Amino acid sequence: MFIRPLFRIVPDNTTFKFMKGRYLGLIVSAFLSTASVILFFHPGLHLGIDFAGGIVMEVRTPGPADIPALKHSLAQKGLGEPAMQRFGDDNAVMIRLGPQPTEADNQKMVTQVRDALEAAAPGTRIVRTDAVGAAVSKQLFRDGMIALGVSLLMILVYIWFRFEWQFAVGAVITLILDVTKAIGFLAITRLDFDLVMVGAILTNQSPVNLG
């Protein structure tokens, strides 16, 4: 026999009419998803190196990094205006350069950047270098979009056979709404959209709990 508590946060026989706001919820959800689709095309996603291609280098300077001096040194080497930002503490800098035609060009670019950094801040150390060619990045982006589409189709087929087609259609529509909102969030925040993000979205679509 359980003892009745002296204090209750929610009184007995309390009811919440959640379904009363279903139409408003659907309208808000549809609006957010539509806005997310628009943001997908303009301004678009901030593609990571996996999909945009290029070179990303993480470097550490012996002291607090002087970003203007580093950019000036890279410009003197004819490397243009690469994107450069602090990464973590004051000594860590992330450098991003555009894609190069061949792997040999990537290696040449990395060497030029190393020389420019050494001239601007002697003792600078390159911690990590990632390079993806333009052709490979386009293929990765296409394969990632195909993976998202196939996953939705397979979930539709699974639920169709496991339950009924009405549940399958409803579940896939819900997943599409969730995915579009995630895309909209990435477009607004300008976070890198890369293979990690694709994997996260695919994982979120798992229908394990439906069976």
Side-chain angles (χ1 to χ4, degrees), residues 82-148:
M84 188 179 299
Q85 64 184 35
R86 297 189 186 278
F87 181 74
D89 56 34
D90 293 337
N91 294 42
V93 178
M94 183 75 73
I95 302 173
R96 181 167 180 170
L97 303 129
Q100 302 300 310
T102 64
E103 182 64 26
D105 292 327
N106 283 333
Q107 295 298 328
K108 181 180 178 180
M109 179 70 71
V110 171
T111 301
Q112 290 176 331
V113 171
R114 181 185 292 109
D115 294 340
L117 294 175
E118 182 65 25
T124 298
R125 179 168 54 92
I126 297 179
V127 179
R128 177 174 62 90
T129 301
D130 294 327
V132 178
V136 174
S137 63
K138 291 180 180 179
Q139 181 179 355
L140 288 175
F141 183 77
R142 182 177 64 251
D143 293 345
M145 296 301 99
I146 292 175
L148 289 176

Side-chain angles (χ1 to χ4, degrees), residues 9-106:
I9 298 177
V10 180
D12 293 337
N13 302 321
T14 300
T15 58
F16 296 97
K17 298 181 180 180
F18 294 105
M19 296 304 295
K20 189 176 181 179
R22 62 188 182 277
Y23 296 115
L24 178 61
L26 289 173
I27 292 173
V28 173
S29 180
F31 172 78
L32 292 176
S33 293
T34 302
S36 297
V37 172
I38 296 175
L39 290 173
F40 174 78
F41 292 101
H42 182 77
L45 297 173
H46 185 264
L47 300 180
I49 186 174
D50 296 333
F51 297 148
I55 302 172
V56 172
M57 302 176 65
E58 179 185 345
V59 303
R60 292 192 65 85
T61 56
D66 187 348
I67 300 295
L70 295 177
K71 286 185 176 181
H72 179 70
S73 181
L74 292 175
Q76 285 186 328
K77 291 287 186 179
L79 301 177
E81 289 288 337
M84 188 179 299
Q85 64 184 35
R86 297 189 186 278
F87 181 74
D89 56 34
D90 293 337
N91 294 42
V93 178
M94 183 75 73
I95 302 173
R96 181 167 180 170
L97 303 129
Q100 302 300 310
T102 64
E103 182 64 26
D105 292 327
N106 283 333

Side-chain angles (χ1 to χ4, degrees), residues 4 36 54 65 72 79 98 102 136 143 152 157-158 164 167 206 208:
R4 293 176 59 86
S36 297
H72 179 70
L79 301 177
T102 64
V136 174
D143 293 345
L152 289 173
V157 173
Y158 167 77
E164 298 179 9
F167 296 120
S206 174
V208 172

